Amino acid sequence: MRPTAAACSTMFAIVLLAACSSAPTPRGEVKGASASSREMGQSDTNRVATLAMRANLESLYLLMDKLYRRNPGEWKKTGASREEVVKRVREAVEKRQTWDDLQGKHDIAAMALALSPDFKGDRVAAFIYATADMIVTAHGGKIEFFLIDGLDAQYLYNAARNIETAAWMLSNRRNTAGQPLLLSDEINAAERNLSFEREFGKIIGRLDLLAEFITEKYRRAGISYVQNLLGGSFLQFLPVR
């Protein structure tokens, strides 16, 4: 026996209601950092810059892990385990040490060497270290910021453009054997993996937003100064007795 139109409508309504009432898939939740006494020496701008720096470094460490998964031959060049190389890179970045394969070079000079076609060392470690070092350099050589620290908006803007250039080189430049410098994003008939591009995009977005925030801070300071001058003359209560 075929179901009637009314029965079909009732079944459809039940399925639709069940779909609407089901809970959304959890995707995590925003979490703030634990309060510390060090924050007493930070302005709002210092705190934003510190959080952005930590997020950008964590993005680079995530990219390092993803690059090693796609290019396992790179960490094997070092003779150490992947975990050990990752630990060394983190320490070198956060303690402002040099990286042997980069011949003592830092920031954009180190990036240029890490992305050169004839580079022979562990390119993943060199690239992540050099990129992180460039970002830290753009922030005045610091990872954490306090009231005595200042940031140059143009350097932050330039750092964002450097990330864009590095991401393009990684996708398009070839080594001396004609192969990609490193395997990263992949688009083919069976797979569409743009996770590397998305992570680079997050770093670029944070740098651009911080640069604009720093610029806005000084612009607003000028406006506030003028407002205070005007307020001193025109926005005062007058005596009534």
Side-chain angles (χ1 to χ4, degrees):
M1 173 183 286
R2 293 185 178 181
T4 65
C8 289
S9 297
T10 301
M11 292 173 62
F12 177 75
I14 292 173
V15 172
L16 183 61
L17 183 61
C20 292
S21 62
S22 61
T25 303
R27 297 188 181 183
E29 60 183 22
V30 63
K31 295 182 179 179
S34 301
S36 70
S37 59
R38 299 175 68 83
E39 292 183 45
M40 297 301 293
Q42 294 180 321
S43 66
D44 290 346
T45 302
N46 297 149
R47 190 61 184 159
V48 169
T50 298
L51 292 174
M53 171 62 76
R54 176 48 54 193
N56 283 335
L57 291 182
E58 289 301 325
S59 283
L60 286 174
Y61 300 147
L62 175 60
L63 284 167
M64 177 166 54
D65 180 69
K66 292 167 67 66
L67 285 169
Y68 273 143
R69 290 179 187 279
R70 294 219 65 196
N71 304 271
E74 295 299 316
W75 63 263
K76 292 179 181 179
K77 295 177 182 178
T78 66
S81 68
R82 182 166 65 93
E83 293 74 17
E84 180 62 27
V85 178
V86 169
K87 180 181 177 182
R88 289 178 188 172
V89 172
R90 293 181 72 118
E91 289 181 352
V93 168
E94 301 190 21
K95 293 181 180 179
R96 304 292 286 149
Q97 300 169 345
T98 58
W99 192 253
D100 290 343
D101 283 348
L102 293 170
Q103 305 166 14
K105 298 182 185 297
H106 283 280
D107 58 84
I108 57 175
M111 290 180 73
L113 179 56
L115 293 172
S116 62
D118 56 353
F119 183 79
K120 303 300 183 185
D122 176 352
R123 194 186 296 275
V124 171
F127 171 66
I128 295 299
Y129 167 86
T131 305
D133 189 70
M134 182 275 296
I135 291 176
V136 174
T137 299
H139 287 73
K142 296 183 178 181
I143 293 176
E144 192 173 11
F145 306 93
F146 298 94
L147 292 172
I148 61 173
D149 299 320
L151 292 170
D152 188 303
Q154 187 62 50
Y155 288 154
L156 299 175
Y157 177 87
N158 292 349
R161 305 290 76 75
N162 289 341
I163 297 294
E164 289 177 340
T165 300
W168 185 91
M169 287 182 175
L170 206 61
S171 297
N172 295 277
R173 185 172 282 185
R174 297 290 187 268
N175 60 23
T176 52
Q179 301 169 329
L181 296 182
L182 292 170
L183 295 176
S184 54
D185 287 329
E186 185 172 7
I187 300 177
N188 54 47
E191 183 179 13
R192 183 179 178 86
N193 176 13
L194 296 176
S195 59
F196 292 87
E197 181 179 316
R198 286 196 297 270
E199 207 62 40
F200 279 122
K202 291 178 184 179
I203 299 173
I204 294 166
R206 293 187 197 108
L207 290 169
D208 276 336
L209 182 58
L210 184 58
E212 187 171 351
F213 180 73
I214 297 297
T215 301
E216 184 75 4
K217 170 189 172 183
Y218 293 119
R219 188 181 71 84
R220 289 300 306 174
I223 292 174
S224 297
Y225 177 74
V226 174
Q227 288 174 337
N228 289 335
L229 288 179
L230 293 174
S233 302
F234 302 110
L235 300 179
Q236 292 183 353
F237 291 115
L238 299 176
V240 294
R241 64 177 178 177

